Each structure stands twice: as structure tokens, then as C-alpha cells.
Amino acid sequence: MATPVARDVQQPGTQDPVNQTPKSRILTWAALILVIIGGALPRLNHIDKSIWTPEAWVSNSVLADDVGQMIRYKDWLQTSPPLFLFLVRGTVRTAGVSVGSLRAVPFGLSILSLILIAWLAKQLLRTPFAVICTALVALSPPAVVFSKEVKQFTGDMAASCLVLLLCWSYLRRPDGRRYLLLCAAVSIALFLSYPAVTFIPVVFTVLVANNGNPHSTRESLLWRVGILATITAAICFVNYRFFIKPNTSTLLTDYWSDGYPRFDNLRAIVSFYARYFLGMGVYFYLPIGSKDFLSSALSSSGMGIVLLLLFAAIGISVLAFAALRRNQRHLAALAICFGPLLCLAVINALRLYPVSSRRLTLFMLPCISLVAAIIMQSAWDIVCRRMKSAMADRSSAVITIVCILVVLFAATHSDQWGNYWFEDEDTGGALRYVRSHAAPEDTIYVHASIEEPAKLYFRILQWNPRDLRYGNTGRPCCTRTPEPTLLEPTSQRQYVLRDFEQVMSEKRVGRLWLISTGRNGHWGYLGRNELEIIEQYLTSSGCRKDSEQYFAYETVEEFSCADSRLRVAN
């Protein structure tokens, strides 16, 4: 009878982490807890920063009057999975509307990810490399940033960690209790994270492998596979029918068009997969512009260099597997980690999920971190063969201590390495400024580019201006009703000013506060700078600009229009 994969005999000179002494377990958990605490510190740093547009429409949706409006938000496509939305909605209803309550769930899911990956790493790796694996997740700048944004990406990562842990637990001992836990993990993961579907083939492979269960029969195996298949199919149907389909639009596909491969020629194919798959682990740690740099470098390189990089990556992978050929536990773990990556490549090729943004692939971070730690431990074992046992133990202890110190040092200095990742948009600061300077009779015009964060902060600040108006042009992607595509500058100007004049109701106004995005990238996305168009119109109508204030990607302008009638200029 086959023995469970997790109980295979280890290479000489190595210690199975499952068979640690009680003292060793305590020391391992102490080291991992220090890393988790170190990972929590940068996640708390600046967690109260202003909520920006993509966060704001998720926040506004969970604040909707009923669940139907939350799932099918009236103005914007809802791309967050249902369990994440319900968790945030429940938290806000319990604790009240605030930046902290809105971000509590992403933060909590991020910490849960650290705990789960530490738990899994402890079962698979010796202490130094379990610490390294957890640190790779703890110190990834995107993982830190999205832990304090009201978006689902930390939920994606938590779902990955949960499924990985329960897959490994079942593979070690495929009994009934672990089977039920695996079914529960899959159910939770699919409702919490849409990309969790990439783990489904791995789950069924683990289930069918069924190594070492003395009570297993073919009939019981078929029952287990059938029940889990039914559960998985039912959840996927519910997700698609009630949550994904009502929020599907060609706008999303077009917006993420660079995240899908184009099979025009071999060079384009190799370049795409080199950038977004081979380079995936690199992007989780290098500055945000590194992806563009690599893209331009690959584009300017000859085909020979691109192919050389591809074959080098394949060769390194083959060597890594060869080095682990006698370690069945780690080979099984590598297979579990690489499975979702292969599934992701398939659904990406079918244009079902883009990969051009690191937040969309953040769910792969636990897999990549675990693979890196396994390879490091394998390489370290080769080095240790030439050392005496006492020297190897001392060296391992040094690795553990150094890693913990690095995590704690980075955590206490996170201002110097993590904050440039923020998508700052200081709507809160802009509205506080206007509230402190505007008179009750003043008119406040909010451009559609920041409509969602403005609506949220009016609610958070409990401020209801007497004369508040919202524009209807120049929204970011992706609204339910697309705006018309206008190419000629004259048509664009007339389109913008016609809406502005309608919103202002063709009546005289006193002081006018114009609040808009300050992102040049937004105007580039639209193909027109609507703020300049409105400014020119106000000036030509006799209004005078009295002040202009800049916040993080926000602009506040004050106009005096007491003797002017606003009307569209032909």
C-alpha cells in the first residue's frame, strides 16, 4: 500500500518538520509569530489614508439600501465577489461608516493570509525556510498596499492560502474529517475569490491521488469526487448567474485588453508569457515601473535573447525539480503550487481573466513564495552536506534570526519602502478644505471623475451641502452605461459643456467650487481634459478664478460668478 506523500522519508541530514520536538515547535511558532507581527505593522501604517475611486464604489455599494443594489450597483460594474461584499457590509453595519470599518475586512484577510501561509510553511519546511516563506508574503509591497484598500485582492490571497493548506492537510491524511474541511475550504474560497477557480483542478487531483488511506475504496472515492464536484459546480453556477453575469461588459475586456495574449507571432507570444508569467514573482517585489521596463527591454531585444531567457527559466525549473526528485513531499507541494498557474494560463488564453496587473495576480503570491522557499531549502541542503551537523544547525539559526530582524526592520521603516505604491487620491482632504471655506449658499460642482469618493466622504463627514451638483461626463472605467466615443475636439467640447450647463440649470450662481481629479492619466484615458474645458468656459462666461488648491490627485478651484449666466458656448 502506498504511503501518504507527506510522510515520505527525508534526505539524510534533514529533519521532517512534522516530527519536530515540542521545544522545536514552540521555537518555530515563536519565530513565525514575530514575522506575522512584523508583517502587520506596515499593513497598519497609513491604513487611514483617503479612500480613492475604485475603493469608493465598492464602499458605496456595500452601503446600498439592500443586497440587490449592492450586488448590482446602479452606476458601476461590481467586480468584487459576494462573500467579500457581505463581510464588509456586516462590518460597516456593526461598527458604523468610517475609513477604519471599511478597511477592517481587507486588513483582517491579509493577516489571515499570513497566519495560514505560516501554518502551511511550518508543515512543509524547516524553521529558517518557513520563516522565509512567510516573510516573502509579509513584505510584498502589493500585498501590503492592498491590505488597506477596500478591494477584494487580500481575499483572493486568503482564499489561496486556505485551499493550499487544506489540500496539503488532505494529502497528508485523506480521512473523512479532512475531506469535509477541504469541501468547506473550497466553498468559502469560491465565494470569497473568483480566481480561486484556478485551484479546482489541483483540488480534484489531490482528491483522486488518495494515497495511503486504508479505509478508502473505489466507491467511497467516487462519492467524495461526486459530492465535491456537485458543490463546486453549484457555487460556480451561482457566482456566474447572480454575481458575474450581471456585472459583465465589453468595457472591462477592452480596459484590460493588454492582459490577454495575442497569438499574432511567436515573438509576441514569448514576450507576453515572459512578462506576465515568468516575471510574476519579480513584480511582487520590484517598483511598479519594473513591468514597463521589462516590457520595453523584451520588445527591443532580439528574438534570440527572448528565447534564451525562456529556455533559461525552463532549465532552472527542470534543475529545481531534479534536485528534489527524492523528496516526494516537496515535489507534491510544487505540483500543488504550479497547478493554479497552469490553470491561470488557460483561462487567460481564453480571455476570461487578465494578468497585466499585479493586483489581479496577487492570489498567486502564496504559491510563488512557497515554491521559492522550497527551492531555497533544497539548495541549502546541498550546502549542508559539506558541513558538520553542529555548524549546519548554527547556520540555520542565524538564517532564522537574520530573517526575523530584516522583517522587523522593514516593518518599522515601511514609510521608506511601501508608501510609493499607494494610489493616493485625497478626496477627504479636498472636501474638508471646501467645507471649511465654503459659505452655505455656495454651489459645489463635483466632476464625475471623483463622484464615487465624493459621495462616500460626504457621508463619512456627515456633510450635506445645500447646493451640491454632480457632473455626468468623464467617468473612469467601468460604468454600466458607456459614454459616447467622440473623436473631434469640437464634439468633445460641446458634449462636456452641454452636460455642465444642464447640471448648473442655466441660472446665476454666486461662488462656485469645482472639484475634480488631478490625474493627468485620467484625461489621457478620456482623450480630453474636461477640467480645462470647463475652466475656459467659466472664464469666457465672466467668472473669475479666485483660488486653486491641489491635493493628492485632486484639484479644488474656487470661482466667483455672481454676475454671470452660465450657458453653452457654440
Side-chain angles (χ1 to χ4, degrees), residues 34-62:
L34 286 174
V35 173
I36 292 170
I37 292 173
L41 294 179
R43 285 162 170 77
L44 287 170
N45 188 24
H46 292 287
I47 197 171
D48 59 343
K49 74 184 181 77
S50 186
I51 290 176
W52 73 302
T53 301
E55 292 181 272
W57 74 62
V58 176
S59 302
N60 287 332
S61 70
V62 301

Side-chain angles (χ1 to χ4, degrees), residues 518-532:
R519 292 181 182 273
N520 291 329
H522 178 75
W523 305 129
Y525 164 73
L526 290 178
R528 59 181 179 270
N529 189 323
E530 295 195 0
L531 183 59
E532 288 185 358

Side-chain angles (χ1 to χ4, degrees), residues 427-505:
T427 307
L431 292 185
R432 288 185 183 93
Y433 173 82
V434 175
R435 183 177 63 174
S436 64
H437 289 76
E441 66 274 10
D442 290 354
T443 299
I444 298 174
Y445 176 90
V446 178
H447 187 267
S449 57
I450 60 162
E451 175 184 4
E452 290 297 320
K455 286 181 177 179
L456 177 63
Y457 270 97
F458 280 126
R459 184 165 184 169
I460 291 175
L461 298 174
Q462 299 181 347
W463 180 31
N464 298 302
R466 186 180 302 173
D467 190 3
L468 173 63
R469 312 180 189 204
Y470 291 96
N472 301 297
T473 65
R475 289 186 172 94
C477 184
C478 293
T479 56
R480 291 196 175 276
T481 305
E483 293 187 54
T485 302
L486 303 171
L487 301 179
E488 295 184 0
T490 301
S491 300
Q492 292 180 344
R493 177 180 172 81
Q494 290 177 347
Y495 167 70
V496 173
L497 294 183
R498 188 174 295 112
D499 177 77
F500 182 74
E501 186 253 0
Q502 182 178 0
V503 169
M504 301 307 294
S505 303

Side-chain angles (χ1 to χ4, degrees), residues 79 81 152-153 155-157 159-160 189-190 192-201 239 244 340 343-344 347 353-354 359-364:
T79 57
Q152 70 273 16
F153 305 115
D156 295 340
M157 197 165 63
S160 298
L190 289 175
L192 181 62
S193 166
Y194 293 142
V197 72
T198 59
F199 286 82
I200 297 304
N239 275 344
I244 297 176
C343 187
L344 176 63
I347 64 174
Y353 193 83
R359 62 181 179 269
L360 296 177
T361 55
L362 191 61
F363 74 98
M364 284 300 304

